[in-house]
Amino acid sequence: MELTLALAIGVLSASGVYLLLRPRTFQVIIGLSLVSYAVNLFILSMGRLRMDAAPILSGADADIANYADPVPQALVLTAIVIGFAMTALFLVVLLAARGLSGSDHVDGKGD
Amino acid sequence: MPLPSIPTDFALPLLCFLPFLASIFVLAAPGEKIRGAAWVTAVVAAILSLLSLALFPSIANGEVLISRIEWVPQLGLNLTLRLDGLAWLFAVLITCIGFLVVLYARYYMSPKDPIARFHALLLAFMGAMIGLVMSGNIIQLAIFWELTSLVSFLLIGYWYHRGDARDGARMALIITGTGGLALFVSMLVIGHIVGSYELDDVLASGGKIVESPLYPVALILFLLGAFTKSAQFPFQFWLPNAMTAPTPVSAYLHSATMVKAGVFILTRFWPVMHDHQLWFWIVTYTGLATLIFGAYTALFQRDLKGLLAYSTISHLGLITTLLGMGTPLAAVAAIFHIANHATFKASLFMAVGIIDHETGTRDVRKLSGLRKYLPFTATLAIIASAAMAGVPLLNGFLSKEMFFTETAEFDPNVFVNLSLPIGATLAGMLSVAYSIKFVHGVFFGPPPTELEKVPHEPPALMRRPIEILVLICLAVGIIPGITIAPYLAAAVHSVLGAETPYYSLSVWHGFNLPLIMSIIAMVGGAVIYVPYYRKLRDIDGVPLTRGLVGQRVFERILVTATNRWARHLVGAFGTQRLQPQIFVVIFLALAAGIAAGWARMGNLPLPDSFDPVLGLVWLLGGISALAAAQQAKFHRLASMILMGGAGLATCLTFAWFSAPDLALTQLLAEIATTVLILLGLRWLPKRSPVPESTPMAARLRRYRDVALAGLVGLGTALASYAIMTRSASEGISDFFLANAYKEGGGTNVVNVMLVDFRGFDTMGEITVLGVVALTVFGLLRRFRPASDSAERPEQQRVLDEYAPGSSENVADDFLRIPALIMNWMFPVVVVVAIYMLMRGHDLPGGGFIAGIIMSLAFILQYLAGGTRWVEERLRILPLLWIGWGLLLALLTGVGAMVLGAPFLTSAFAYADIPLIGKVPMATALIFDLGVFALVVGATVLMLIALAHQSIRRPKVAGSNKPKQRVGADKWN
């Protein structure tokens, strides 16, 4: 279980980093998204993996040992939304740059 | 005079901070009203002058007023304001001369100048200077010191449209700023030696500093700071260049206050630092060199302000020499001369300003015989110059006599014994000569012929500040015993304490050696001037020392360092290309990760459980990710779909590990991202795979990137495995679990954290989201597609060829049934969104999720009806939703503050609603509603902005064709 997730994080970040180093803006967008997945999973795994732990409290007298760690979840939730905003912004910057420079190279020139 | 006693804890902070507050006020006040700004500044300066004068009785007998404002008491960092005799003397000089300068500037400055900025800076400078002299903590002192450098930079460069003003300001900032840095380090060293940064402790440390092995380091750095500020040789050259400032600024900064900061700090630390040979030799002879050099150079200046600037340098040298000598009597003379010089030099600067104002020039060659045109100003300037030359019955004479007395003291060292009195007399002669040059050249002789206008007396009020200062010169010079004596005594006592010697301020000390030296100086000065006055008038440059220009060295260093070296550095290390930069960043991050993690890795346990379902999910997810990376260049759509596959695997993983909120959010964000990217794909250039023609270099680069990516992947996998397989340390999670229901009133801990415990984070996050949406909107408003993607896409053209008009109305054709369903789904989706919002506090859901669901409802309408159809029917204004969302969230937070709780504190209760039952009502729900509104507004805005481009016929980049806009105008 831990190994699966660790490998998944590794594969996601490797593909993401490779794309970040590519010259095309579209590749970089996809790369950033893949890196975000990897990072979000990594943060989630900081709370240690637990299956079948209840995420929702059953009431005031709940035994807190039975519940999933909420802190990484709250962090990741924020990260997902910010990641969405970042992708959108980057997409539009890339479109504007492509319009101005005529190229979709990250440096705005070259091919 | 019985004065109402002012509480120290009120008076000192007021004295220090009122100028800054007034400065902000003047800047912020609307309009550039010359009267308003001048009035505010004058009133504030008057209040400060009266306040500082009124504080005298409290420090007259050696008391020290201290007011502490605690900041980080654990670290010993407090804002300490400390007023003793010396600080008081300076505070009075700063505030009173400041007040006079403000009055003077009222008439000097032209209404065309940006007057509010001038007054605001003047006030800020006043505050910085007061803060400097009243600092009770030596770190704080260094900070205020730098502040004076900064503000003086802005004041010297006040007329920044002039190149020389910019150059002068920059030079002053670099020299004094560098010195300030040295001073700061020396303060740290001194604090280290003493063991405390409080000035009281430093001054009470006795011989500790001098005996420390670190003393030479501390002293050199300290003197660098003091000498650069007080324009001592060889750093003197910035001061004449700073004369490009408006004359009131020169009168204030470069005579009375800022340049005095250097000698102030020498005086302040004199008791604990002077008792060493190193101090004696460096300070005394730097001062003497400056004294002679300044006086000599002043003699050859054509510009009146230049003459005064070099004279100031020379007088500062005199004070420095006195402080260097190390005897208590010399220190008394130094303090006395600080006050005297400030009064006569400020009045002289103001007089030169009047001359400049009335004649349009400050060039001695063009001026002469002005006595007939400006009789009052001439009289005042002549008296002040006499004080500068040290003529009896004026204040300059008294302190100069004390100086001569001290230099004439016997010293066992023959060199010292000869050099000091001879140097002092020589400088005295020179200063008499340049004073005569100033007076004779400007006010006497034939009427001026080269002036553009006929000079006449300025408004009487413009002369008033000079009159007051000259009156003080006379009063101190004639009756020192009842004018200056008590104040000087307080200042001297605060520096020398028990060491205070007996000194006499009387005008007549009998016919002794100092008097002879004075007479030699007077006669000698006249002898230098009279035979050569024509030559001196027209001479160009300074004979003998022409080659000795610190300025040239400075400029050469500046050019070399900021231009040539910078270019070399950029050439060696810089690149304008993004890829190498990202490579370096990732490489360094990897290296740092390995360096930090290698030793901590420990023994990795073997996996003890394997989950086949998760394994399968990630088999597909991993393949998707790799394939997405491989396809991203030539098959964008495929790559995007594959990325979605990896995203879905992530989403399932969230659900798998008990994070339903995350799974929901991930899924919805995934959809929104996909739609956005799909809308953008159309504007990217076509690219088809080229058969094997990749050059060798490109292929090598690719292998290199694969290697780096592989290493990063391996590293993250190892790191996460290593962390996951060891037990968690005690964290803060239990707190949230235990208190979410009790204090937050919700059972969905994640949501309670977002809207309640960590509400401030969420506040920042939605702000970011709103900013992004506005940026997207702004960028796309003036969107210009590249010429090769400006045409309609191929698919639409093919459709239109087949059946004209059909590409506009796909929904009527093959998408009719799905479109109908999507139309009908709209209310359902909206209800789901509201449900998600309402239940968010207790069950998975919340503002983010509901917001994205809501915007998905709009996306569906776009898919079903087409952009034009939706835009015609869309009734929500996303900008308003963003604004209201942010406002609502903010108001919830402020509401809590109004009720006396910290920002964003929430309250909750259960309401019993008929039919529905018990519903939790927390104020956090209102906050979440704000989040919801903002997310809807932001997402819809981005969506509309992008989607709208497809029906616009925008200008192609680079073309000048007139705009042809189709579609609703509000989105253009």
Side-chain angles (χ1 to χ4, degrees):
Chain A
M1 200 164 72
E2 279 85 5
L3 186 65
T4 317
L5 193 59
L7 287 178
I9 292 173
V11 170
L12 284 175
S13 50
S15 348
V17 166
Y18 174 72
L19 282 179
L20 287 187
L21 296 166
R22 296 298 87 215
R24 304 289 147 203
T25 41
F26 184 77
Q27 291 174 307
V28 179
I29 286 199
I30 301 287
L32 274 177
S33 298
L34 291 177
V35 172
S36 321
Y37 296 152
V39 171
N40 288 347
L41 286 173
F42 186 74
I43 298 176
L44 183 80
S45 73
M46 289 302 102
R48 305 305 183 269
L49 301 180
R50 276 181 77 178
M51 286 196 293
D52 304 329
I56 305 294
L57 294 173
S58 60
D61 48 355
D63 178 10
I64 56 174
N66 294 333
Y67 293 91
D69 190 345
V71 173
Q73 295 194 25
L75 293 178
V76 172
L77 207 147
T78 311
I80 292 173
V81 178
I82 294 287
F84 164 65
M86 181 188 67
T87 311
L89 181 64
F90 188 47
L91 178 77
V92 172
V93 169
L94 122 76
L95 291 181
R98 149 96 173 123
L100 289 177
S101 66
S103 156
D104 67 337
H105 193 283
V106 284
D107 295 333
K109 55 191 174 196
D111 49 12
Chain B
M1 184 170 52
L3 280 166
S5 69
I6 314 153
T8 309
D9 285 336
F10 173 71
L12 299 194
L14 185 71
L15 203 54
C16 184
F17 297 122
L18 181 64
F20 291 111
L21 294 178
S23 166
I24 294 168
F25 174 76
V26 168
L27 267 189
E32 289 261 320
K33 299 245 170 55
I34 183 164
R35 280 176 183 277
W39 268 106
V40 173
T41 316
V43 168
V44 169
I47 293 173
L48 293 171
S49 309
L50 292 177
L51 181 63
S52 50
L53 288 171
L55 281 170
F56 181 71
S58 357
I59 53 102
N61 297 316
E63 300 93 334
V64 178
L65 299 183
I66 285 188
S67 167
R68 258 195 199 91
I69 301 164
E70 294 207 335
W71 180 37
V72 193
Q74 296 87 348
L75 295 176
L77 290 178
N78 300 317
L79 193 65
T80 313
L81 297 174
R82 179 182 184 279
L83 191 76
D84 62 359
L86 183 69
W88 180 85
L89 183 72
F90 269 89
V92 167
L93 285 177
I94 293 160
T95 51
C96 294
I97 295 187
F99 174 67
L100 297 177
V101 165
V102 172
L103 287 190
Y104 174 79
R106 163 73 184 81
Y107 295 93
Y108 180 86
M109 300 305 285
S110 149
K112 283 179 237 144
D113 291 322
I115 210 72
R117 178 156 58 91
F118 175 80
H119 285 283
L121 287 173
L122 214 58
L123 281 168
F125 181 80
M126 198 182 284
M129 223 33 228
I130 295 174
L132 169 63
V133 298
M134 293 206 324
S135 286
N137 177 301
I138 58 178
I139 303 279
Q140 181 192 339
L141 185 138
I143 304 287
F144 276 112
W145 179 279
E146 289 289 36
L147 200 58
T148 60
S149 295
L150 268 181
V151 183
S152 97
F153 165 75
L154 295 172
L155 277 168
I156 298 170
Y158 174 71
W159 285 317
Y160 53 65
H161 54 273
R162 283 170 42 182
D164 56 344
R166 292 198 299 271
D167 288 346
R170 188 180 54 198
M171 185 184 292
L173 179 68
I174 293 179
I175 300 287
T176 56
T178 313
L181 201 63
L183 183 85
F184 181 51
V185 179
S186 87
M187 288 299 130
L188 292 179
V189 176
I190 290 175
H192 174 75
I193 297 173
V194 177
S196 162
Y197 293 105
E198 290 294 306
L199 187 60
D200 273 330
D201 298 336
V202 173
L203 292 183
S205 69
K208 217 169 171 181
I209 299 174
V210 175
E211 285 152 18
S212 158
L214 286 173
Y215 175 75
V217 183
L219 180 70
I220 299 294
L221 291 169
F222 174 80
L223 292 181
L224 266 179
F227 286 174
T228 48
K229 197 82 157 187
S230 278
Q232 295 298 295
F233 186 83
F235 308 110
Q236 81 293 340
F237 54 87
W238 70 264
L239 186 58
N241 283 294
M243 289 300 129
T244 47
T247 299
V249 173
S250 306
Y252 192 34
L253 269 65
H254 304 131
S255 67
T257 53
M258 181 167 108
V259 291
K260 291 285 165 55
V263 287
F264 166 76
I265 201 160
L266 286 177
T267 320
R268 182 90 278 176
F269 285 84
W270 186 89
V272 287
M273 290 187 74
H274 79 277
D275 198 9
H276 196 282
Q277 282 295 304
L278 213 52
W279 169 285
F280 173 79
W281 287 103
I282 299 178
V283 180
T284 308
Y285 282 94
T286 306
L288 197 66
T290 313
L291 167 64
I292 299 171
F293 176 83
Y296 174 71
T297 314
L299 192 55
F300 300 100
Q301 295 301 307
R302 284 175 181 174
D303 179 3
L304 289 180
K305 270 178 94 176
L307 187 149
L308 291 184
Y310 278 106
S311 150
T312 301
I313 292 174
S314 155
H315 280 274
L316 291 168
L318 189 156
I319 299 167
T320 308
T321 315
L322 279 168
L323 290 168
M325 285 191 264
T327 58
L329 269 173
V332 174
I335 297 168
F336 191 24
H337 199 67
I338 287 172
N340 291 338
H341 176 251
T343 45
F344 65 69
K345 195 50 72 60
S347 62
L348 279 172
F349 267 111
M350 290 184 194
V352 167
I354 289 180
I355 294 168
D356 188 10
H357 210 251
E358 296 302 323
T359 64
T361 182
R362 302 192 307 247
D363 192 330
V364 259
R365 286 170 305 175
K366 294 187 186 161
L367 298 168
S368 71
L370 287 185
R371 190 170 47 109
K372 294 188 190 68
Y373 301 92
L374 307 163
F376 293 112
T377 311
T379 315
L380 294 171
I382 291 169
I383 299 174
S385 332
M388 173 164 80
V391 172
L393 296 185
L394 288 160
N395 59 357
F397 171 74
L398 294 178
S399 43
K400 191 172 258 191
E401 282 289 290
M402 288 165 105
F403 172 58
F404 285 162
T405 315
E406 285 310 302
T407 55
E409 282 292 309
F410 175 76
D411 190 285
N413 187 316
V414 183
F415 173 70
V416 176
N417 210 10
L418 286 176
S419 64
L420 281 181
I422 293 176
T425 318
L426 180 65
M429 280 159 64
L430 289 167
S431 75
V432 170
Y434 70 68
S435 302
I436 302 178
K437 172 176 170 170
F438 176 72
V439 169
H440 179 255
V442 174
F443 297 111
F444 292 87
T449 51
E450 295 176 55
L451 297 183
E452 284 157 15
K453 51 182 177 180
V454 180
H456 50 78
E457 280 288 342
L461 276 173
M462 189 173 179
R463 272 194 334 259
R464 199 96 333 134
I466 311 182
E467 287 164 6
I468 295 172
L469 288 169
V470 167
L471 199 65
I472 296 173
C473 290
L474 283 166
V476 171
I478 299 169
I479 38 172
I482 54 173
T483 49
I484 188 85
Y487 311 112
L488 183 65
V492 166
H493 185 79
S494 73
V495 175
L496 297 176
E499 273 188 89
T500 309
Y502 168 78
Y503 58 91
S504 153
L505 286 180
S506 56
V507 179
W508 179 251
H509 284 278
F511 195 77
N512 51 12
L513 186 57
L515 192 65
I516 297 174
M517 286 163 75
S518 270
I519 294 169
I520 295 175
M522 294 287 165
V523 178
V527 167
I528 295 174
Y529 181 73
V530 173
Y532 298 109
Y533 77 93
R534 275 178 211 291
K535 268 192 184 164
L536 278 175
R537 192 184 164 97
D538 296 326
I539 198 161
D540 186 21
V542 186
L544 298 178
T545 60
R546 274 199 196 95
L548 217 158
V549 224
Q551 190 181 341
R552 217 168 284 164
V553 178
F554 171 83
E555 276 163 359
R556 188 157 305 160
I557 292 175
L558 200 65
V559 167
T560 320
T562 61
N563 199 347
R564 201 177 310 156
W565 291 355
R567 244 195 342 256
H568 282 315
L569 281 176
V570 169
F573 298 109
T575 172
Q576 300 209 320
R577 297 174 48 221
L578 183 68
Q579 285 166 279
Q581 297 178 34
I582 295 189
F583 188 89
V584 170
V585 168
I586 295 178
F587 181 80
L588 288 179
L590 178 69
I594 292 175
W598 191 256
R600 297 194 179 88
M601 186 84 82
N603 287 326
L604 295 179
L606 287 172
D608 51 357
S609 66
F610 177 72
D611 194 321
V613 181
L614 191 69
L616 190 64
V617 164
W618 275 110
L619 184 66
L620 295 175
I623 292 174
S624 298
L626 292 172
Q630 202 251 327
Q631 295 288 321
K633 185 163 186 185
F634 295 121
H635 303 282
R636 299 197 187 102
L637 186 64
S639 167
M640 201 194 65
I641 294 169
L642 288 164
M643 183 192 90
L648 278 182
T650 311
C651 173
L652 284 176
T653 313
F654 287 147
W656 202 258
F657 293 114
S658 311
D661 275 288
L662 295 192
L664 264 175
T665 316
Q666 175 75 48
L667 189 65
L668 294 165
E670 201 64 42
I671 297 172
T673 312
T674 308
V675 173
L676 281 180
I677 295 183
L678 276 175
L679 285 168
L681 276 184
R682 177 236 180 289
W683 304 105
L684 290 174
K686 273 192 167 180
R687 178 164 289 112
S688 13
V690 200
E692 270 323 299
S693 67
T694 331
M696 194 59 190
R699 232 179 308 161
L700 278 179
R701 206 162 51 224
R702 211 170 288 165
Y703 294 145
R704 187 197 64 181
D705 293 349
V706 167
L708 183 70
L711 282 175
V712 170
L714 191 66
T716 48
L718 273 177
S720 45
Y721 187 70
I723 294 171
M724 279 188 277
T725 48
R726 57 191 73 180
S727 54
S729 53
E730 189 76 8
I732 53 173
S733 309
D734 289 351
F735 169 80
F736 293 112
L737 282 171
N739 290 306
Y741 190 72
K742 248 186 287 170
E743 298 189 354
T747 52
N748 183 2
V749 188
V750 176
N751 184 269
V752 173
M753 280 180 71
L754 284 180
V755 297
D756 191 335
F757 291 126
R758 318 276 313 147
F760 204 62
D761 285 3
T762 311
M763 185 84 217
E765 187 192 355
I766 58 174
T767 313
V768 169
L769 202 59
V771 169
V772 165
L774 292 180
T775 316
V776 165
F777 184 53
L779 277 172
L780 287 176
R781 270 167 74 102
R782 298 249 174 277
F783 178 62
R784 301 273 178 274
S787 52
D788 56 326
S789 51
E791 286 228 14
R792 302 176 57 208
E794 198 187 336
Q795 291 82 347
Q796 284 187 13
R797 277 186 314 217
V798 170
L799 258 181
D800 273 348
E801 270 169 34
Y802 170 68
S806 62
S807 72
E808 302 277 330
N809 307 307
V810 281
D812 292 343
D813 199 1
F814 52 84
L815 264 180
R816 178 163 294 177
I817 303 296
L820 199 63
I821 297 174
M822 286 189 258
N823 260 334
W824 286 355
M825 286 298 285
F826 184 71
V828 180
V829 181
V830 172
V831 168
V832 171
I834 294 171
Y835 173 61
M836 282 290 179
L837 173 68
M838 300 297 287
R839 75 173 204 168
H841 220 48
D842 284 332
L843 290 166
F848 282 119
I849 291 169
I852 303 182
I853 293 179
M854 183 79 169
S855 27
L856 291 185
F858 291 105
I859 293 182
L860 279 180
Q861 298 315 299
Y862 269 87
L863 294 179
T867 311
R868 204 158 294 160
W869 187 88
V870 177
E871 284 183 7
E872 277 163 15
R873 285 163 184 77
L874 196 61
R875 288 292 169 270
I876 73 163
L877 286 173
L879 287 174
L880 275 185
W881 281 61
I882 294 180
W884 276 111
L886 207 54
L887 203 63
L888 210 54
L890 203 65
L891 284 179
T892 324
V894 176
M897 283 173 87
V898 171
L899 295 176
F903 186 62
L904 280 175
T905 310
S906 79
F908 71 97
Y910 283 86
D912 219 340
I913 300 175
L915 289 177
I916 296 178
K918 247 172 117 182
V919 172
M921 299 293 283
T923 54
L925 187 66
I926 307 176
F927 182 77
D928 222 12
L929 191 67
V931 174
F932 167 75
L934 187 128
V935 172
V936 173
T939 319
V940 172
L941 183 64
M942 290 193 269
L943 197 77
I944 291 177
L946 254 176
H948 182 69
Q949 304 306 323
S950 64
I951 56 164
R952 246 175 86 184
R953 291 283 170 270
K955 243 174 31 172
V956 171
S959 79
N960 285 323
K961 272 183 277 174
K963 287 175 198 167
Q964 289 179 320
R965 282 180 176 166
V966 185
D969 228 23
K970 59 180 173 179
W971 307 120
N972 268 314

